[in-house]
């Protein structure tokens, strides 16, 4: 008896389309026989009703007649050859994830090629008609792929073989002659290579961003350690101060320690929140990096270009360049001891000296901005001095210039951190100093108060000092300052003014809500017939902290 393989090699009952034993064989008017599904699918794909064997054309799709004789022979043939066919098929059976043959019925074999026109994939056996039949040989065959429908132009039913750079979509040849005429068209391969190169750049950028955020985590963790050290040191100093005070102030000491510890808890929560955000961003960026790496390894041009636009961008992340971890304890001891001012005058004085020395560590270089100066103000060439000159200069009225208020801003702005500078006010009978936000009104008469974006103190008539709150607070100073120190802690919302020579606090604006850049503000006030002709001078900071103390502090900060 002939085996199934020998039957296949001879002219036995097999469909010339699927090259398999007939299933539901039918006869068409020219006398040739085919599987019912094979001939229906063939006519559906090729539109014209033509016999695949003799190429005879029919005016309309002919009626199909069941061929019972061939059906019986096919059934007997299956009984004889089924076991051997099954054994042979297992050797080429499609594995999970591989493209399988769309024609195979009993066992799905691994596809050798996919056909764009037929929108089907074929194993080696069922691919034979595309190599033998003249009409099928013209079909475009490619390596087997899934989802052939998605690789066809929905409008022209042609393969998506080109890429329109103008509209950033894949197109077929007919598209280039219609909607995409005169557009910049390139091959899929060229765009694939270019996109892969850009993908590599994005991968590098992603990795760099991950490293930056990892570095930021280490920076925040280091800042947290320093913050805890500062807090611990502040607690220790505070305990030492209050141990030298009468038993009656123990309650005040307890309140102070509690406040410092709460501030430290807040700082730790803030640090953990920042770190959690950074770790989340690293996870998102790492995920995107993995997706990009996976995409960069694909050789499927169409899949790459269809996926590339959605992945070739950096996920939205927070700008961490200005984020810092701050905790400030400046003035905590002083404000606590203020309740016991009469009894603790010497203690407060000692604390003020230490406080001034600490804020002086944040000294910055400040220069005056001539583009903001009121036209009657005269600035030195080095931008360190300003005085009122009575005569109005012919200067362009720029948006940033004060046109009525006798003021000038610094070139430097501060949007985070701590900063300190000193101004010499000796021999002046009037001046205004402080900080102002970037969006202040600079035209017409201006009331310098926090509501209008100014945090300042002033001197008038030689001996009247005010903190320009709403309403103003009259200040009582024991001596007239020669130098005024201005300290800003942006995150803490603190602006403090110091009588530098006496190591005394003039005034502090606390709990301020800063939301934009702040600029140092200066006003030498009117010349007053020469009585107030002395300039305001931005002077260098002379810190009297012993060198050994400075070295100790810097070494700790570097650990």
């Amino acid at each position: 008896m002939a085996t199934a393989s020998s039957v296949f090699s001879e002219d036995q009952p097999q469909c010339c389309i699927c090259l398999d034993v007939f299933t539901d064989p039918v006869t068409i008017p020219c006398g040739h026989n085919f599987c019912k599904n094979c001939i229906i699918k063939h006519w559906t794909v090729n539109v014209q009703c033509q016999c695949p064997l003799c190429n005879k054309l029919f005016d309309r799709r002919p009626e199909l007649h069941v061929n019972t004789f061939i059906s019986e022979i096919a059934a007997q043939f299956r009984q004889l050859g089924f076991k051997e066919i099954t054994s042979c098929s297992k050797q080429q059976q499609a594995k999970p994830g591989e493209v399988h043959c769309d024609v195979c019925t009993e066992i799905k074999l691994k596809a050798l090629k996919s056909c764009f026109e037929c929108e089907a994939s074929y194993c080696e056996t069922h691919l034979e008609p595309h190599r033998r039949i003249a009409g099928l040989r013209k079909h475009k065959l490619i390596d087997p792929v899934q989802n052939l429908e998605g690789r066809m132009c929905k409008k022209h039913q042609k393969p998506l073989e080109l890429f329109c750079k103008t509209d950033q979509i894949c197109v077929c040849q007919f598209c280039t002659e219609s909607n995409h005429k005169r557009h910049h068209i390139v091959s899929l391969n060229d765009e694939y290579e270019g996109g892969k190169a850009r993908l590599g750049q994005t991968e590098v950028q992603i990795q760099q961003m991950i490293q930056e955020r990892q570095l930021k985590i280490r920076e925040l963790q280091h800042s947290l350690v320093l913050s805890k050290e500062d807090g611990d040191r502040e607690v220790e100093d505070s305990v030492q101060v209050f141990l030298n005070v009468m038993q009656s102030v123990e309650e005040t000491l307890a309140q102070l320690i509690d406040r410092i510890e709460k501030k430290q808890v807040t700082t730790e929560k803030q640090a953990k929140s920042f770190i959690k955000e950074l770790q989340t961003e690293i996870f998102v960026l790492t995920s995107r990096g993995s997706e990009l790496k996976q995409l960069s390894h694909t050789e499927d041009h169409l899949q790459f270009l269809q996926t590339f636009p959605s992945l070739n961008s950096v996920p939205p992340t927070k700008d961490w360049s200005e984020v810092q971890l701050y905790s400030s304890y400046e003035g905590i001891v002083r404000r606590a001891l203020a309740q016991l001012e009469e009894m603790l005058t010497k203690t407060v004085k000692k604390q003020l000296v230490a406080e001034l020395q600490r804020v002086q560590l944040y000294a910055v270089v400040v220069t005056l901005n001539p583009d903001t100066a009121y036209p009657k103000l005269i600035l030195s060439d080095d931008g360190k001095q300003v005085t009122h000159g009575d005569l109005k200069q012919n200067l362009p009225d720029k948006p940033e210039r004060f046109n009525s208020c006798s003021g000038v801003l610094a070139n430097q702005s501060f949007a985070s951190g701590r900063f300190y500078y000193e101004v010499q006010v000796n021999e002046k009978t009037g001046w205004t100093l402080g900080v102002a936000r970037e969006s202040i009104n600079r035209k017409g008469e201006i009331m310098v108060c926090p509501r209008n974006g100014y945090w300042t103190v002033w001197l008038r008539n030689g001996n009247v000092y005010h903190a320009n709150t709403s309403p103003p607070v009259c200040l009582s100073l024991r001596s007239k300052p020669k130098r005024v120190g201005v300290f800003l802690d942006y995150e803490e919302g603190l602006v403090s003014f110091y009588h530098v020579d006496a190591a005394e606090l003039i005034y502090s604006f606390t709990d301020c809500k800063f939301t934009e850049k702040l600029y140092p503000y200066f006003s030498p006030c009117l010349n007053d017939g020469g009585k107030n002709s002395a300039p305001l001078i931005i002077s260098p900071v002379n810190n009297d902290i012993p060198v050994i103390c400075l070295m100790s502090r810097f070494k700790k900060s570097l650990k």
Side-chain angles (χ1 to χ4, degrees):
M1 181 180 291
T3 65
S5 57
S6 65
V7 174
F8 264 118
S9 65
E10 300 171 3
D11 212 7
Q12 291 300 323
Q14 58 183 354
C15 173
C16 70
I17 296 178
C18 67
L19 297 184
D20 205 348
V21 179
F22 283 110
T23 301
D24 297 330
V26 294
T27 304
I28 61 176
C30 64
H32 291 116
N33 301 289
F34 308 94
C35 297
K36 183 177 181 180
N37 287 338
C38 290
I39 191 63
I40 291 176
K41 185 174 182 180
H42 177 77
W43 283 342
T44 300
V45 173
N46 293 277
V47 182
Q48 290 182 328
C49 295
Q50 184 181 32
C51 176
L53 284 177
C54 66
N55 294 327
K56 180 176 181 179
L57 287 171
F58 303 103
D59 295 334
R60 59 180 181 176
R61 183 173 293 190
E63 184 178 355
L64 301 176
H65 299 282
V66 177
N67 192 322
T68 55
F69 175 72
I70 293 180
S71 179
E72 292 175 358
I73 293 177
Q76 294 176 4
F77 181 80
R78 284 195 183 88
Q79 292 177 356
L80 291 173
F82 177 75
K83 291 184 179 179
E84 187 171 344
I85 292 173
T86 300
S87 175
C88 178
S89 298
K90 281 184 178 179
Q91 299 176 13
Q92 308 174 44
Q93 186 174 353
K95 300 176 182 177
E98 292 181 335
V99 180
H100 61 75
C101 176
D102 293 324
V103 180
C104 291
T105 54
E106 299 292 341
I107 297 177
K108 291 293 184 181
L109 302 185
K110 180 180 178 180
L112 184 64
K113 293 289 182 179
S114 295
C115 176
F116 269 125
E117 279 75 9
C118 299
E119 295 187 11
S121 299
Y122 301 102
C123 63
E124 185 173 6
T125 301
H126 294 129
L127 185 64
E128 194 275 338
H130 280 75
R131 295 169 173 165
R132 177 170 50 83
I133 300 174
L136 297 180
R137 283 203 299 267
K138 297 179 181 179
H139 289 189
K140 181 174 178 60
L141 299 176
I142 63 172
D143 290 335
V145 293
Q146 303 281 9
N147 187 28
L148 274 170
E149 297 83 355
R151 298 172 177 269
M152 301 291 290
C153 175
K154 291 181 173 56
K155 183 176 182 180
H156 302 109
Q157 293 303 310
K158 293 296 180 183
L160 297 171
E161 301 176 299
L162 303 169
F163 187 80
C164 176
K165 294 182 74 69
T166 304
D167 294 335
Q168 291 292 300
I169 58 173
C170 298
V171 297
C172 71
Q173 185 64 45
F174 287 103
C175 290
T176 64
E177 300 171 2
S178 55
N179 294 346
H180 298 270
K181 194 173 183 179
R182 297 189 182 88
H183 286 190
H184 186 190
I185 306 296
V186 297
S187 69
L188 286 183
N189 182 68
D190 289 346
E191 184 63 20
Y192 167 81
E193 294 298 332
K196 202 167 184 180
R198 295 193 296 274
L199 188 67
Q201 295 173 355
T202 304
E203 282 186 281
V204 172
Q205 185 180 0
I206 290 285
Q207 292 304 316
Q208 183 178 353
M209 293 180 68
I210 291 174
Q211 293 174 5
E212 289 173 352
R213 278 147 182 78
Q214 290 173 336
L215 181 61
K216 195 67 177 182
I217 288 178
R218 292 194 292 271
E219 180 184 332
L220 289 171
Q221 290 172 333
H222 179 63
S223 297
L224 179 58
V225 171
L226 294 179
S227 173
K228 192 174 189 309
E229 289 178 356
D230 287 344
D232 294 342
R233 183 166 51 253
E234 196 71 20
V235 170
E236 182 181 349
D237 293 345
S238 300
V239 169
Q240 186 60 46
V241 169
F242 279 85
L243 286 177
N244 297 327
V245 178
M246 297 175 58
Q247 188 66 28
S248 60
V249 301
E250 288 183 354
E251 183 178 354
T252 304
L253 174 59
Q255 293 174 355
L256 174 64
I257 295 175
D258 182 64
R259 183 175 180 183
I260 293 173
E261 291 177 343
K262 285 182 178 179
K263 186 177 291 292
Q264 182 58 31
V265 169
T266 301
T267 303
E268 290 179 353
K269 287 182 179 179
Q270 185 184 40
K272 291 178 180 178
S273 175
F274 284 161
I275 291 171
K276 185 176 181 180
E277 281 188 69
L278 285 162
Q279 289 173 336
T280 300
E281 288 191 4
I282 289 174
F283 176 79
V284 172
L285 290 169
T286 302
S287 299
R288 177 59 59 87
S290 299
E291 293 175 349
L292 291 173
K293 185 172 290 296
Q294 183 179 0
L295 181 60
S296 69
H297 291 155
T298 183
E299 298 298 328
D300 188 332
H301 297 185
L302 184 59
Q303 181 185 356
F304 177 91
L305 294 174
Q306 288 177 335
T307 310
F308 173 70
S310 63
L311 292 181
N312 191 40
S313 62
V314 177
T317 56
K318 183 176 180 178
D319 181 5
W320 290 93
S321 60
E322 297 297 331
V323 176
Q324 300 290 337
L325 187 65
Y326 294 101
S327 60
S328 176
Y329 301 93
E330 311 304 336
I332 294 180
V333 176
R334 172 190 51 75
R335 289 192 290 272
L337 295 178
Q339 302 172 17
L340 310 168
E341 186 172 3
E342 271 189 350
M343 182 181 58
L344 304 173
T345 300
K346 290 183 180 181
T347 304
V348 172
K349 177 68 175 181
K350 181 179 178 181
Q351 291 298 319
L352 278 170
V353 171
E355 181 181 321
L356 180 57
Q357 290 177 330
R358 285 196 297 268
V359 300
Q360 285 177 330
L361 291 174
Y362 300 101
V364 294
V365 176
V366 174
T367 56
L368 303 172
N369 184 353
D371 291 335
T372 66
Y374 174 58
K376 289 186 179 182
L377 297 184
I378 301 174
L379 276 59
S380 63
D381 292 338
D382 62 0
K384 294 289 188 176
Q385 301 185 30
V386 58
T387 186
H388 194 282
D390 284 336
L391 296 178
K392 189 172 184 179
Q393 304 173 75
N394 186 18
L395 299 174
D397 187 17
K398 297 182 178 181
E400 60 267 33
R401 188 182 301 283
F402 293 97
N403 69 352
S404 180
C405 177
S406 179
V408 60
L409 298 179
N411 286 300
Q412 293 74 23
S413 63
F414 311 115
S416 64
R418 304 170 190 172
F419 304 93
Y420 175 84
Y421 58 94
E422 292 180 357
V423 183
Q424 184 175 319
V425 297
N426 194 27
E427 300 180 3
K428 291 193 67 63
T429 60
W431 48 259
T432 305
L433 295 173
V435 296
R437 64 181 177 224
E438 185 176 32
S439 62
I440 54 171
N441 175 31
R442 308 181 192 193
K443 308 301 179 184
E445 294 298 326
I446 300 171
M447 179 180 292
V448 287
C449 64
R451 183 178 65 251
N452 295 333
Y454 294 85
W455 292 266
T456 63
V457 296
W458 74 19
L459 167 67
R460 293 294 186 268
N461 301 322
N463 59 2
V464 179
Y465 295 92
H466 277 172
N468 294 309
T469 57
S470 298
V473 174
C474 185
L475 304 174
S476 177
L477 276 64
R478 296 176 182 175
S479 60
K480 185 175 181 178
K482 294 181 180 180
R483 284 185 300 161
V484 174
V486 182
F487 174 70
L488 165 67
D489 188 329
Y490 195 96
E491 281 71 24
E492 187 70 13
L494 175 68
V495 182
S496 294
F497 299 84
Y498 295 91
H499 183 332
V500 177
D501 302 294
E504 294 179 352
L505 180 74
I506 297 175
Y507 187 79
S508 284
F509 291 89
T510 59
D511 299 324
C512 306
K513 304 299 181 183
F514 301 133
T515 58
E516 56 185 274
K517 292 180 180 179
L518 298 178
Y519 289 83
Y521 172 81
F522 307 83
S523 174
C525 296
L526 299 178
N527 193 21
D528 195 17
K531 296 179 182 179
N532 191 34
S533 60
L536 288 177
I537 303 174
I538 302 172
S539 58
V541 175
N542 295 319
N543 194 308
D544 295 328
I545 298 178
V547 175
I548 189 172
C549 294
L550 283 174
M551 293 301 296
S552 175
R553 182 177 181 88
F554 288 147
K555 286 180 180 178
K556 287 183 178 180
S557 66
L558 292 174
K559 288 182 179 179

